[in-house]
Amino acid sequence: MPKAITIEPIDGKPGKPGQVYYPLSLKNVPTPTPGPHDLLITIHSAALNHRDLFLRQHLYPSPSFDVPLLADGFGTVTSIGSSASKSWLGKNVILTPGRGWKDDPAGPEDKTGYKILGGTKTCELGTLQEVVCVSEDEVELAPEHLTAAEAAALPLTGLTGWRALVSKSGNWEAGRNILVTGIGGGVALNVLQFAVAKGCAVWVTSGSQDKIEKAKKMGAKGGVSYKTDGWEKELKKQLPKDRPFIDAIIDGAGGAVVPKAVRLLKLGGVIVQYGMTVSPKMDWTMPAVLSNLELKGSTMGSRKEFKDMVAFVNEKKIRPVVSRIVKGIDNIKEIDELFQDMKKGTQFGKLVIEIQGQGGSSKL
């Protein structure tokens, strides 16, 4: 029988950091049977996101002890349903990481809400398992230039970054100055890659000078440590004289970073907030109001945005950054270490599990 990894219940008080940390549980699961329009996929690699850590800490809604973890997955179609297109058979694919959002720019059409894969009662599918069954409408061909690990690293953060920068910021244009905070996380790195590939000038912030230097090697024009007093003044000195302001800030941290960064924005500039990992609250000051700044919330994205994002990655031959790879679904010890890396914030890029030890290009 195929193997899968879920979380296992333990005693403790849910909802407080440090009170609960659900252990991983390796179990055997039945091989799914494809419906008429379904694809049976052997998963080669899957990747972590912050929500997976939050699920283990019971800081994410509706955790399930039966649904496998993880939303990101790459694999090969090994069987198809009776009405599915035969062209899928044998193809390498990446799974869409969510359900219930087709193409509405405003948000999910599903009245019950958007459902993300992995570890919750709202969606029965997760990618931390050897075999999955999904509708043929919920996959895209994996870009052939990507390795198995890179392909698994793309879906959730790629979609989130695409919507924040491309759909929401209004500044995805060559020559625009973009500030990406918290560089090193998957979404921030994808935003950097998408912006650089379009011809934007990108600046970054981080608490790690090493991460800033790595970002500069990826095309960032410069960056500063938010741990330095007056870092926003230092960043202002780095901006070009002919465009001495930031057009848009793409932020996933919240807290005190953005209130300082808004001083760098042009009149009518935009802040796109796709997460608040540092603090669930953020000051919005009167100077921001008087500067006619726009603050926009952003989430993952639609099926259409996912398709567009994958096409751009294919066109520009973008490679998602992978920080660490662990091999084998039964390698619980090292898979657990990936969660510790995420908890400490030491990673630069995505944390990936090669489910069945498949490496090489996405062609396999």
Side-chain angles (χ1 to χ4, degrees), residues 340-356:
Q340 293 303 313
D341 289 349
M342 181 167 284
K343 187 185 292 187
K344 296 173 185 174
T346 56
Q347 79 276 13
F348 187 85
K350 293 297 289 283
L351 301 165
V352 178
I353 303 158
E354 288 191 349
I355 303 292
Q356 307 197 48

Side-chain angles (χ1 to χ4, degrees), residues 151-225:
L154 179 62
L156 191 149
T157 58
L159 177 58
T160 304
W162 182 266
R163 180 166 173 81
L165 175 65
V166 179
S167 302
K168 302 285 283 192
S169 80
N171 282 279
W172 193 51
E173 297 180 23
R176 296 294 176 94
N177 292 337
I178 308 296
L179 174 61
V180 182
T181 66
I183 202 67
V187 178
L189 287 169
N190 284 140
V191 171
L192 169 62
Q193 292 176 307
F194 297 156
V196 168
K198 189 67 173 179
C200 301
V202 182
W203 279 265
V204 301
T205 68
S206 173
S208 163
Q209 190 60 41
D210 180 59
K211 291 182 179 181
I212 292 170
E213 294 304 316
K214 287 179 179 178
K216 287 162 70 173
K217 290 179 181 178
M218 293 175 61
K221 297 292 185 182
V224 293
S225 171

Side-chain angles (χ1 to χ4, degrees), residues 8-229:
E8 186 175 319
I10 57 171
D11 294 333
K13 191 172 183 180
K16 291 187 178 181
Q19 294 291 319
V20 169
Y21 190 62
Y22 295 124
L24 301 176
S25 177
L26 179 66
K27 58 184 65 174
N28 294 321
V29 294
T31 301
T33 301
H37 294 281
D38 290 344
L39 309 176
L40 192 68
I41 300 169
T42 296
I43 296 292
H44 299 303
S45 49
L48 274 67
N49 293 286
H50 273 95
R51 68 184 295 275
D52 301 300
L53 174 62
F54 297 154
L55 278 165
R56 293 192 66 181
Q57 296 171 317
H58 204 110
L59 298 175
Y60 196 90
S62 303
S64 169
F65 303 110
D66 301 309
V67 177
L69 291 169
L70 310 192
D72 290 333
F74 159 81
T76 302
V77 179
T78 56
S79 180
I80 61 173
S82 58
S83 299
S85 172
K86 293 181 180 179
S87 64
W88 287 115
L89 199 57
K91 295 293 174 56
N92 296 316
V93 297
I94 53 177
L95 279 64
T96 58
R99 300 289 185 270
W101 192 352
K102 184 180 178 183
D103 56 12
D104 188 340
E109 298 92 348
D110 192 329
K111 297 187 186 308
T112 62
Y114 189 61
K115 301 169 182 65
I116 304 171
L117 274 60
T120 73
K121 298 171 184 175
T122 61
C123 183
E124 296 180 352
L125 179 66
T127 60
L128 192 45
Q129 56 182 320
E130 293 180 314
V131 179
V132 300
C133 187
V134 301
S135 167
E136 62 181 329
D137 295 331
E138 299 294 354
V139 298
E140 289 289 328
L141 288 173
E144 292 188 359
H145 69 281
L146 300 182
T147 65
E150 290 167 343
L154 179 62
L156 191 149
T157 58
L159 177 58
T160 304
W162 182 266
R163 180 166 173 81
L165 175 65
V166 179
S167 302
K168 302 285 283 192
S169 80
N171 282 279
W172 193 51
E173 297 180 23
R176 296 294 176 94
N177 292 337
I178 308 296
L179 174 61
V180 182
T181 66
I183 202 67
V187 178
L189 287 169
N190 284 140
V191 171
L192 169 62
Q193 292 176 307
F194 297 156
V196 168
K198 189 67 173 179
C200 301
V202 182
W203 279 265
V204 301
T205 68
S206 173
S208 163
Q209 190 60 41
D210 180 59
K211 291 182 179 181
I212 292 170
E213 294 304 316
K214 287 179 179 178
K216 287 162 70 173
K217 290 179 181 178
M218 293 175 61
K221 297 292 185 182
V224 293
S225 171
Y226 59 75
K227 293 181 179 179
T228 304
D229 288 339

